[in-house]
């Protein structure tokens, strides 16, 4: 014992002696190297954060400027501004207005949760049914910040949405930066995102839509998850990333009713990542716990939303937790453990499907049945004559993406570089999986000279995630708004990452030039060349967009809304197309008989019935339908009645003829046949029996308004 202590003292003495003998110049050089290294890292972090925040702010300003140029918003009257909100966007903003008009926030929330002033003969919980949490937050911020005397409500509302889009871009910037190690990748991500704005966001067409509120939080969650999955992460950074993942996951789930489907895709990506033993299992299961907590809390705060209980996300996470309990010792490197790993994947899939089936049997739910029916018809597993289903199938966002979409991505050089990066990463991941099957362990730290980018779990996660989102985008064009932003991020990361170039050079076995040096040079040169080419080609176009004064003016709709506000009785109920009813509700506040919402069976049935005004039905049938909903005024839109669509069979009147069985097929051609004329045409003729049931009270070039007679007078 004493000899061991003596040896220890002797070693300490020798170390001290060696340290004392170190030349002063070497010591100062070593200290200076460490000091300046810290300064460099701090400067890199500071300027990177500054660039990320500046990019987000500039994008928000760009959106605001473009919106002003497009709609002349500042020079419009309030009514003209509100008309720019179309369809479901009008409904969301109308409830925001109602909250601000309420005597107190509590009273406003109560009126929304017990709303009987929007849809005739129907009391709804608008907060639950329409996911109005963004409007609740916006109204609280507007009133609590004392902005009533500073800024108009509409500017405050759209300002928040544009600000969230700035956060969206900043989160994508940070994600690419964390993956590549250079904020040059973040700059390239933002450039590609803005240039391909037509395919990365719907902010131009529908500002209040739920995804414009929700996707920025999902981008923050993805950025935090990227950092959380990294191997070389200190304890403080890991805790910060974990907390950010938790907060953003829950917020995302509260902002969008379909958020749990996107989280399900993310959970599948993490499941595959863990199944191939490419990430720390403990971290992956911590994310699963966040999903469970968010689902549970969301279920409680969304008025016991049963859609969350029957969601595939809950079934998958529960199956993964259960399988972990059943398979405790699988990753041992033996043949049996690898066989059990395959059994594990099969076990999880079986439990997920079984559990989801059981939940749907025992949990009452109706919210997402229409979505499942749509998927069946879309995949060709079923056929239908249902008007709503066929109308949805005809929407451009639910069609397969057009060639123009791929052409636009190619012209901006995004698609070619994305494919290049994806191929390199996929091959590298395949190599790593093969090594894991052969029993070779993963390296604790992957160095640049190793050329193994497929061993980084955050990279593998993004590769799997973009592939899954890409598969969805290839089926539905509307899904491109989820996929394209991460295409921008992954492509920018790849061309700016020395590790990706080093992986490629390892395969090519370069000897003429030092591969590490060449990788570092290309990771700077390639994005710089791309940036200059994008600047030269697209910057003038963006400046032209901002300098051009576009004109959006709809005098017919303005005249219609003005007439309703001045002439219609306060107790009037209007009937017409759901899209127009949303605008009428927003601009006038009058009650309507339907809304452009497709998450409620009763509303879907109402929409189908009221759309019959454009079908070949009798005046008596239409009168009975409208009076059953206590409608007092009917609005006929000439654009729907005389619609000449590019695709025959997708016009509203064609779909109605199919649903009503008024289509006759002869020699390969389809003809609409009924003993009655098309109602929207016949009612304009002002002859019996139409004048017995309806009296025209207003018309212009686009709209015809009829009062629905309470006392029927039969005229000859």
């Amino acid at each position: 014992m004493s000899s061991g202590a003596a040896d220890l003292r002797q070693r300490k003495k020798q170390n001290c002696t060696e340290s004392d003998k170190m030349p002063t110049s070497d010591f100062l050089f070593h200290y200076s190297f460490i000091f300046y290294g810290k300064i460099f890292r701090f400067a890199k972090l500071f300027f990177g954060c500054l660039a990320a925040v500046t990019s987000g702010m500039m994008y928000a300003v760009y959106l605001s400027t473009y919106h002003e140029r497009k709609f002349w918003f500042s020079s419009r009257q309030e009514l003209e501004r509100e008309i720019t909100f179309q369809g479901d966007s009008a409904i969301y903003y109308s409830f925001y207005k109602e909250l601000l008009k309420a005597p107190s926030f509590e009273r406003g929330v109560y009126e929304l949760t017990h709303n009987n002033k929007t849809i005739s003969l129907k009391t709804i919980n608008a907060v639950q049914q329409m996911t109005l949490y963004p409007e609740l937050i916006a109204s609280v911020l507007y009133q609590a910040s004392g902005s009533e005397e500073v800024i108009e409500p509409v500017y405050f509302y759209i300002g928040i949405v544009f600000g969230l889009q700035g956060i969206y871009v900043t989160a994508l910037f940070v994600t690419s930066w964390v993956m590549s190690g250079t904020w040059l990748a973040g700059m390239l991500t933002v450039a590609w995102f803005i240039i391909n704005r037509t395919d990365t966001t719907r902010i131009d067409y529908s500002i209040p839509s739920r995804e414009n509120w929700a996707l920025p939080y999902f981008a923050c969650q993805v950025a935090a998850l990227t950092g959380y999955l990294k191997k070389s992460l200190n304890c403080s950074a890991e805790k910060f990333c974990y907390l950010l993942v938790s907060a953003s996951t829950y917020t995302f789930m509260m902002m969008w009713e379909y958020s749990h489907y996107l989280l399900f895709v993310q959970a599948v990506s993490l499941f595959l990542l863990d199944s191939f033993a490419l990430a720390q299992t403990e971290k992956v299961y911590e994310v699963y716990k966040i999903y469970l907590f968010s689902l549970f809390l969301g279920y409680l705060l969304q008025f016991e939303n049963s859609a969350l209980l029957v969601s595939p996300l809950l079934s998958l996470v529960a199956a993964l937790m259960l399988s972990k309990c059943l398979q405790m010792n699988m990753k041992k490197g033996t043949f049996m453990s690898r066989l059990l790993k395959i059994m594990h994947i099969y076990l999880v899939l079986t439990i997920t499907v079984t559990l989801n089936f059981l939940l749907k049997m025992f949990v009452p739910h109706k919210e997402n049945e229409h979505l499942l029916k749509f998927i069946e018809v879309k995949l060709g597993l079923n056929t239908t004559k249902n008007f709503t289903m066929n109308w949805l199938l005809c929407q451009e966002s639910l069609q397969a993406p057009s060639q123009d979409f791929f052409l636009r991505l190619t012209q901006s050089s995004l698609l070619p570089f994305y494919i290049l990066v994806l191929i390199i990463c996929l091959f590298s991941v395949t190599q790593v999986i093969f090594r894991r099957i052969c029993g070779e362990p993963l390296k604790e730290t992957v160095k640049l000279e190793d050329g193994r980018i497929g061993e980084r779990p955050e990279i593998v996660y993004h590769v799997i995630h973009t592939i899954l989102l890409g598969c969805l985008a290839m089926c539905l064009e509307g899904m491109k708004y989820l996929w394209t932003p991460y295409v921008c991020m992954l492509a920018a990361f790849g061309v700016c990452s020395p590790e990706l170039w080093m992986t490629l050079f390892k395969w090519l076995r370069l000897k003429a030039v030092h591969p590490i040096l060449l990788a570092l040079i290309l990771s700077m040169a390639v994005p710089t060349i791309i940036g200059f080419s994008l600047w030269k080609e697209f910057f003038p176009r963006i400046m032209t967009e901002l300098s051009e004064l576009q004109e959006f003016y709809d005098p017919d709709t303005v005249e219609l809304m003005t007439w309703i506000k001045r002439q219609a009785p306060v107790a009037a109920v209007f009937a017409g197309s759901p899209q127009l009813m949303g605008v009428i509700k927003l601009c006038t506040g009058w009650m309507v008989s339907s809304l452009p919402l497709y998450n409620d069976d009763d509303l879907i049935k109402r929409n189908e019935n009221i759309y019959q005004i454009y079908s070949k039905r009798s005046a008596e049938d239409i009168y009975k339908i409208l009076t059953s909903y206590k409608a007092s005024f009917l609005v006929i839109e000439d654009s729907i009645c005389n619609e000449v669509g590019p695709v025959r069979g997708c016009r509203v009147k064609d779909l109605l003829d199919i649903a009503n069985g008024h289509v006759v097929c002869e020699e390969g051609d389809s003809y609409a046949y009924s003993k009655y004329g098309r109602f929207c045409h016949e009612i304009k003729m002002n002859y019996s029996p139409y004048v017995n049931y309806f009296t025209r009270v207003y018309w212009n070039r686009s709209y015809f308004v009829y009062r629905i007679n309470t006392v029927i007078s039969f005229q000859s």
Side-chain angles (χ1 to χ4, degrees):
M1 184 74 178
S2 58
S3 62
D7 291 341
L8 181 61
R9 284 194 297 271
Q10 184 67 22
R11 284 197 298 271
K12 286 183 178 181
K13 186 175 181 180
Q14 288 175 357
N15 292 336
C16 293
T17 305
E18 291 172 1
S19 177
D20 292 339
K21 289 180 180 180
M22 180 183 292
T24 306
S25 59
D26 292 348
F27 177 77
L28 290 175
F29 175 78
H30 180 69
Y31 178 77
S32 301
F33 181 79
I34 296 175
F35 176 75
Y36 287 114
K38 290 182 178 179
I39 293 292
F40 175 76
R41 286 194 295 271
F42 175 78
K44 181 181 177 182
L45 179 64
F46 174 77
F47 286 109
C49 292
L50 183 64
V53 174
T54 303
S55 298
M57 292 177 63
M58 292 298 291
Y59 179 62
V61 172
Y62 165 72
L63 288 177
S64 179
T65 306
Y66 178 77
H67 183 263
E68 173 64 28
R69 291 288 182 175
K70 183 177 180 180
F71 295 110
W72 292 20
F73 222 60
S74 59
S75 60
R76 300 289 189 190
Q77 298 296 321
E78 183 180 5
L79 177 60
E80 296 171 333
R81 292 174 183 171
E82 291 176 348
I83 287 174
T84 62
F85 297 106
Q86 297 290 318
D88 58 346
S89 298
I91 297 300
Y92 296 130
Y93 185 72
S94 71
F95 286 121
Y96 168 72
K97 280 181 59 180
E98 288 185 17
L99 278 168
L100 295 181
K101 290 178 181 178
S104 66
F105 177 74
E106 293 79 7
R107 181 63 187 175
V109 173
Y110 178 82
E111 289 179 355
L112 289 186
T113 54
H114 302 77
N115 187 284
N116 58 2
K117 298 179 181 179
T118 299
I119 307 173
S120 60
L121 302 179
K122 189 174 177 67
T123 300
I124 61 172
N125 183 343
V127 177
Q128 178 191 13
Q129 193 156 344
M130 303 177 193
T131 320
L132 296 180
Y133 297 98
E135 283 66 35
L136 296 179
I137 295 171
S139 63
V140 168
L141 292 176
Y142 184 73
Q143 294 172 334
S145 61
S147 301
E148 292 93 336
E149 299 177 359
V150 180
I151 187 173
E152 296 178 55
V154 65
Y155 279 109
F156 188 83
Y157 185 86
I158 64 176
I160 292 178
V161 181
F162 290 157
L164 285 173
Q165 299 308 301
I167 294 174
Y168 191 2
V169 164
T170 300
L172 292 172
F173 183 110
V174 171
T175 305
S176 189
W177 178 16
V178 169
M179 293 169 65
S180 64
T182 171
W183 48 268
L184 187 62
M187 299 292 289
L188 187 57
T189 300
V190 174
W192 265 327
F193 184 93
I194 295 175
I195 289 168
N196 295 282
R197 185 167 50 86
T198 306
D199 303 306
T200 55
T201 177
R202 287 206 311 154
I203 192 70
D204 287 355
Y205 318 109
S206 180
I207 291 176
S209 65
R210 301 301 85 177
E211 59 261 39
N212 288 334
W213 285 89
L215 290 180
Y217 294 103
F218 182 68
C220 291
Q221 190 251 27
V222 170
L225 182 62
T226 303
Y228 184 66
L229 291 174
K230 286 175 70 73
K231 291 180 181 178
S232 55
L233 197 67
N234 61 56
C235 186
S236 300
E238 185 175 311
K239 288 181 180 178
F240 173 76
C241 290
Y242 177 81
L243 292 174
L244 185 56
V245 170
S246 303
S248 53
T249 300
Y250 172 69
T251 308
F252 174 58
M253 192 170 291
M254 294 294 291
M255 292 291 172
W256 193 21
E257 62 181 312
Y258 298 119
S259 58
H260 55 91
Y261 291 109
L262 187 53
L263 290 175
F264 170 73
V265 175
Q266 186 183 71
V268 171
S269 304
L270 293 173
F271 166 58
L272 294 175
L273 182 68
D274 181 54
S275 297
F276 295 122
L278 299 176
Q280 298 179 30
T281 301
E282 295 76 14
K283 286 187 175 181
V284 174
Y285 275 85
E286 285 298 321
V287 178
Y288 293 157
K289 292 176 184 177
I290 292 173
Y291 292 151
L292 286 177
F293 174 77
S294 300
L295 285 168
F296 174 72
L297 201 58
Y299 171 75
L300 294 180
L301 296 183
Q302 290 183 10
F303 305 93
E304 299 182 356
N305 185 3
S306 60
L308 296 180
L309 295 182
V310 298
S311 70
L313 176 64
L314 178 61
S315 301
L316 176 62
V317 174
L320 287 164
M321 292 295 186
L322 182 60
S323 66
K324 185 184 179 184
C325 296
L326 298 175
Q327 308 269 343
M328 295 299 294
N329 300 310
M330 288 196 309
K331 298 177 183 178
K332 296 296 183 181
T334 62
F335 173 78
M336 183 56 67
S337 66
R338 291 192 289 272
L339 183 62
L340 287 175
K341 176 59 67 177
I342 299 174
M343 296 285 292
H344 167 70
I345 296 174
Y346 174 76
L347 180 66
V348 169
L349 294 176
T350 304
I351 296 176
T352 301
V353 174
T354 305
L355 187 59
N356 192 253
F357 177 75
L358 292 175
L359 285 172
K360 287 180 178 178
M361 281 184 59
F362 294 104
V363 176
H365 69 287
K366 293 182 179 179
E367 288 81 354
N368 296 319
E369 285 185 358
H370 64 286
L371 181 61
L372 297 176
K373 292 178 182 176
F374 169 79
I375 293 173
E376 286 182 1
V377 177
K378 182 68 178 178
L379 295 177
L381 302 176
N382 199 354
T383 57
T384 181
K385 291 185 177 181
N386 180 267
F387 168 77
T388 301
M389 202 62 59
N390 288 325
W391 183 81
L392 290 173
L393 288 168
C394 285
Q395 299 304 299
E396 185 179 351
S397 61
L398 299 177
Q399 302 283 335
S402 63
Q403 292 182 353
D404 292 340
F405 167 59
F406 300 104
L407 183 61
R408 288 191 297 268
L409 297 189
T410 304
Q411 288 175 340
S412 65
S413 72
L414 174 59
L415 190 60
F417 281 107
Y418 168 72
I419 293 174
L420 173 65
V421 172
L422 186 64
I423 289 173
I424 295 173
C425 290
L426 271 177
F427 272 107
S428 183
V429 171
T430 305
Q431 282 184 331
V432 173
I433 293 173
F434 182 75
R435 293 192 193 105
R436 294 293 290 145
I437 292 174
C438 294
E440 182 180 335
L442 292 175
K443 287 191 173 185
E444 288 295 326
T445 55
V446 180
K447 299 179 181 178
L448 176 59
E449 57 268 21
D450 294 333
R452 293 187 177 185
I453 199 167
E455 288 194 11
R456 291 177 55 186
E458 70 274 18
I459 306 300
V460 182
Y461 158 72
H462 279 288
V463 169
I464 298 173
H465 196 202
T466 55
I467 289 175
L468 294 178
L469 290 178
C471 292
L472 294 175
M474 295 306 103
C475 299
L476 305 172
E477 185 166 355
M479 296 298 294
K480 70 181 181 181
Y481 300 113
L482 303 177
W483 178 59
T484 313
Y486 295 99
V487 170
C488 299
M489 181 272 301
L490 193 67
F493 140 75
V495 297
C496 296
S497 172
E499 288 184 65
L500 183 127
W501 294 111
M502 190 63 199
T503 302
L504 178 61
F505 297 152
K506 274 282 187 179
W507 297 338
L508 299 177
R509 301 182 184 274
L510 287 183
K511 295 182 179 179
V513 184
H514 198 286
I516 296 179
L517 179 62
L518 185 58
L520 291 171
I521 292 173
L522 287 179
S523 65
M524 296 292 290
V526 173
T528 303
I529 294 171
I530 295 172
F532 275 117
S533 64
L534 294 177
W535 177 277
K536 182 179 179 181
E537 183 176 355
F538 292 98
F539 183 73
R541 299 185 190 180
I542 294 175
M543 289 296 101
T544 303
E545 272 187 352
L546 296 180
S547 61
E548 283 184 348
L549 285 174
Q550 305 178 45
E551 184 174 2
F552 176 86
Y553 188 55
D554 189 356
D556 292 342
T557 305
V558 172
E559 291 173 7
L560 173 64
M561 301 304 158
T562 304
W563 180 87
I564 292 174
K565 294 174 75 172
R566 291 177 179 175
Q567 302 294 330
V570 177
V573 177
F574 283 82
S577 71
Q579 285 71 28
L580 180 61
M581 293 303 100
V583 180
I584 288 177
K585 174 60 184 173
L586 168 61
C587 297
T588 68
W590 263 246
M591 189 177 291
V592 295
S593 56
S594 61
L595 288 177
L597 299 171
Y598 299 93
N599 58 355
D600 180 86
D601 289 341
D602 180 62
L603 284 177
I604 291 174
K605 189 64 178 175
R606 279 176 177 248
N607 293 344
E608 291 176 358
N609 288 337
I610 294 174
Y611 259 128
Q612 297 296 324
I613 60 178
Y614 300 104
S615 69
K616 295 188 173 186
R617 299 278 294 272
S618 67
E620 183 180 1
D621 288 346
I622 302 299
Y623 181 82
K624 288 179 179 179
I625 290 172
L626 296 176
T627 52
S628 68
Y629 297 119
K630 298 297 182 183
S632 48
F633 287 89
L634 169 65
V635 184
I636 300 287
E637 295 173 70
D638 203 51
S639 59
I640 300 178
C641 191
N642 298 316
E643 183 180 4
V644 183
V647 181
R648 187 177 181 183
C650 274
R651 298 176 300 181
V652 168
K653 51 189 178 182
D654 296 335
L655 298 174
L656 287 168
D657 291 340
I658 294 171
N660 294 335
H662 294 160
V663 175
V664 178
C665 296
E666 293 181 2
E667 299 179 358
D669 294 327
S670 298
Y671 303 94
Y673 172 78
S674 173
K675 65 179 181 178
Y676 301 106
R678 197 167 300 280
F679 177 82
C680 62
H681 288 153
E682 300 296 323
I683 194 175
K684 297 175 186 177
M685 303 299 179
N686 285 331
Y687 59 77
S688 183
Y690 296 92
V691 294
N692 303 334
Y693 297 102
F694 307 97
T695 303
R696 187 165 65 187
V697 292
Y698 172 82
W699 72 93
N700 59 30
R701 291 176 301 175
S702 302
Y703 303 102
F704 294 80
V705 182
Y706 296 86
R707 185 178 65 247
I708 302 171
N709 299 331
T710 53
V711 178
I712 303 173
S713 60
F714 290 94
Q715 305 174 18
S716 57

